[in-house]
C-alpha cells in the first residue's frame, strides 16, 4: 500500500503505541495549557530494553544490517545515550554483537552520571562499551573500530548518533502513519505534534511521513536540546528531505515545512534547566508519567511555554513521549528534593 510496506523491518515493537489524553494534567493545570487539549503518544511504552524512540529507527537499521549479512552493530552517542542503550538491547534481540563508541560530551563527573542509568544497562545487554576521551570524534572512532573488526573477518554495521540515517528516520515516518490512523479513529486532528530534537531523525521522520501521506509536515514542532537552532534546522531539513526521497521521490518539502524552536536547550546538551525540572515534576505529579531530563523534559517545558499564550485554545495538541527514563538515574542531584 504505502512505500513503507516495501522496506524491510526487524520488529522490535509490539504494535501501535497508544495515544492518551492527559486529562488530569488539564484539570489540575489548565491555566498553564492556555485551554489546549493535550494528548501523549506513548512511545515510551515499549517492551524491549526499557523502550524509547530509537527502537523505531532500529527496526529499519537492524533489518538493513541483517540483509547485508552483518554480525556486529556499532553506534555512537554520549555516555548516557538512550540510543546506545536501545541499540544494545535490540542487537541482543537480533543476535548481533554490539559495540558502543561513547563520547564524553557532558561535563558531569559524579558516579551516577558515569556509571548508572543507561551505562549500567549497556553492560547488562552485553554491549562492548568504548569510553572515548574528551574531544574525540565518535563517528571516526566507530569507523576505525569497524575496520579493525573487518580485518578480523567480522562484518560490522556502523550508524552514527541517534540512528539518524535517512533509513533510520523511516521509523518515525511509520509513526506518522500511526498517528494519522489514530486521528481518524478518534475523529480528531492535532494542531501540533510536539517532540524533542537531538539528532533530528525523529522530527525528520515524522515530517517526511506526513508529507508522503499528503498531510502537513509543518504540524511537527520540535525543541532542539543538542545543536544550536540554525544547525538543528539545517540537519532536520536535510534528513527529512532524504527520508522523503526514500518514500515519495515525487514530493518535496517547502521552506517553512520544518519548524524547530531553540528556546529550551539551556546552556548545553545534557545540562538541566529549571523549566525542564518543573515540567518533569508536573507530569509526574499530575499523571504519574515520566519524562527524561535530557530530551523530553525540555521539549515538554517548551510545549507548556507555547501553550500558555493561548494560541492552542480548544485545539488538540500531541506530545510525543520518547522514553529515556533510565537517564533520570544519572541526574539525582538535579531531580531530588522539591
Ligand atoms: C534521542 C532522543 C530524542 C530525540 O530524537 P532524535 O531523533 O535524536 O532527534 C528524544 N527523546 C529521547 C528520550 C531520546 O533518547
Amino acid at each position: 500500500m504505502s512505500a513503507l510496506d516495501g522496506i524491510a523491518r526487524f520488529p522490535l515493537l509490539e504494535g501501535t503505541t497508544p495515544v492518551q489524553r492527559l486529562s488530569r494534567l488539564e484539570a489540575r493545570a489548565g491555566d498553564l495549557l492556555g485551554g489546549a487539549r493535550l494528548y501523549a503518544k506513548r512511545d515510551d511504552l515499549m517492551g524491549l530494553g526499557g523502550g524509547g524512540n530509537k527502537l523505531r529507527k532500529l527496526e529499519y537499521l537492524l533489518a538493513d544490517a541483517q540483509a547485508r549479512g552483518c554480525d556486529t552493530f556499532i553506534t555512537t552517542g554520549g555516555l548516557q545515550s538512550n540510543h546506545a542503550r536501545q541499540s544494545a538491547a535490540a542487537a541482543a534481540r537480533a543476535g548481533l554483537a554490539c559495540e558502543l563508541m561513547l563520547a564524553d560530551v557532558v561535563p558531569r563527573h559524579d558516579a551516577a552520571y558515569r556509571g548508572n542509568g543507561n551505562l549500567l544497562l549497556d553492560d547488562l545487554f552485553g554491549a562492548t562499551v568504548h569510553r572515548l576521551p574528551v574531544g574525540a570524534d565518535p563517528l571516526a572512532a566507530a569507523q576505525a573500530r569497524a575496520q579493525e573488526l573487518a580485518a578480523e573477518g567480522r562484518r560490522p554495521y556502523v550508524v552514527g548518533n541517534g540512528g539518524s540515517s535517512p533509513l533510520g528516520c523511516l521509523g518515525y515516518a511509520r509513526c506518522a502513519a500511526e498517528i494519522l490512523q489514530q486521528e481518524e479513529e478518534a475523529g480528531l486532528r492535532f494542531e501540533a505534534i510536539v517532540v524533542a530534537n537531538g539528532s533530528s531523525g525523529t522530527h525528520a521522520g515524522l515530517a517526511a511521513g506526513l508529507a508522503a501521506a499528503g498531510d502537513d509536515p509543518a504540524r511537527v514542532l520540535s525543541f532542539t536540546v543538542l545543536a544550536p537552532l540554525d544547525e538543528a534546522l539545517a540537519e532536520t531539513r536535510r534528513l527529512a528531505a532524504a527520508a522523503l526521497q526514500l518514500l515519495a521521490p515525487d514530493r518535496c518539502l517547502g521552506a517553512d515545512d520544518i519548524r524547530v524552536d531553540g528556546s529550551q536547550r539551556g546552556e548545553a546538551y545534557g545540562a538541566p534547566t529549571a523549566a525542564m525540572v518543573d515540567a518533569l515534576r508536573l507530569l509526574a505529579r499530575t499523571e504519574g508519567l515520566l519524562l527524561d531530563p535530557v530530551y523530553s523534559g525540555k521539549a515538554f517545558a517548551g510545549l507548556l511555554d507555547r501553550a500558555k499564550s493561548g494560541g492552542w485554545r480548544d485545539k488538540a495538541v500531541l506530545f510525543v513521549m520518547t522514553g529515556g527514563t533510565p537517564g533520570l538515574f544519572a541526574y539525582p542531584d538535579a531531580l531530588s528534593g522539591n
Side-chain angles (χ1 to χ4, degrees):
M1 200 181 82
S2 92
L4 268 179
D5 298 331
I7 300 175
R9 190 168 63 86
F10 180 83
L12 297 170
L13 277 65
E14 288 77 36
T16 301
T17 60
V19 168
Q20 294 171 349
R21 184 144 180 200
L22 301 179
S23 44
R24 173 110 182 109
L25 173 62
E26 285 178 32
R28 272 275 294 274
D31 49 329
L32 292 179
L33 298 176
R37 288 182 285 131
L38 197 54
Y39 294 77
K41 172 77 170 160
R42 296 292 310 278
D43 269 18
D44 58 322
L45 212 57
M46 298 175 186
L48 187 77
N53 66 333
K54 304 310 180 305
L55 291 184
R56 286 190 184 271
K57 304 180 192 176
L58 286 161
E59 288 195 323
Y60 288 96
L61 297 172
L62 283 169
D64 188 38
Q66 288 182 326
R68 292 169 191 270
C70 296
D71 56 20
T72 306
F73 192 84
I74 307 180
T75 194
T76 66
L79 283 178
Q80 283 294 338
S81 168
N82 295 305
H83 165 65
R85 179 254 311 165
Q86 288 165 79
S87 295
R93 163 68 67 84
L96 272 71
C98 183
E99 301 216 3
L100 304 172
M101 317 304 290
L102 303 185
D104 200 345
V105 283
V106 178
R108 296 180 74 84
H109 302 284
D110 55 293
Y113 193 83
R114 292 184 171 261
N116 204 338
N118 285 298
L119 276 168
L120 176 78
L121 300 181
D122 294 343
D123 283 340
L124 276 178
F125 293 130
T128 302
V129 173
H130 303 266
R131 295 184 186 224
L132 304 178
V134 175
D137 174 349
L139 192 57
Q143 274 148 358
R145 180 67 185 144
Q147 286 197 341
E148 269 174 35
L149 290 173
E152 296 167 11
R154 300 265 293 277
R155 308 274 313 252
Y157 185 92
V158 177
V159 65
N161 276 355
S164 288
S165 67
L167 184 67
C169 291
L170 297 187
Y172 269 87
R174 193 175 152 82
C175 181
E178 271 180 36
I179 292 169
L180 290 172
Q181 173 94 37
Q182 288 170 312
E183 286 185 319
E184 197 178 305
E185 283 163 10
L188 51 80
R189 182 169 169 84
F190 298 116
E191 179 73 10
I193 299 170
V194 178
V195 71
N197 188 326
S199 62
S200 303
T202 301
H203 181 161
L206 286 169
L210 291 176
D215 203 280
D216 179 10
R219 285 204 283 160
V220 185
L221 168 66
S222 69
F223 288 87
T224 178
V225 302
L226 198 159
L229 178 58
D230 51 343
E231 283 173 37
L233 246 182
E235 180 64 358
T236 309
R237 284 194 180 120
R238 182 186 76 79
L239 280 171
L244 186 57
Q245 186 68 28
L246 296 176
L247 292 176
D250 53 321
R251 293 185 195 263
C252 60
L253 292 162
D256 299 328
D257 281 345
I258 300 296
R259 295 193 300 146
V260 183
D261 183 310
S263 64
Q264 301 297 319
R265 181 170 165 268
E267 274 171 37
Y269 173 71
T273 63
M276 175 278 286
V277 176
D278 288 348
L280 213 136
R281 286 191 179 135
L282 180 67
L283 197 63
R285 291 169 191 193
T286 55
E287 297 280 354
L289 294 178
L290 294 174
L291 298 166
D292 82 281
V294 177
Y295 299 92
S296 58
K298 286 182 177 178
F300 197 69
L303 181 153
L304 294 172
D305 189 55
R306 286 242 177 174
K308 75 173 183 236
S309 66
W312 289 330
R313 181 166 302 283
D314 297 327
K315 301 272 205 279
V317 172
L318 183 68
F319 182 69
V320 185
M321 288 188 68
T322 42
T325 51
L328 291 168
F329 303 99
Y331 284 83
D333 56 328
L335 301 172
S336 58
N338 278 290

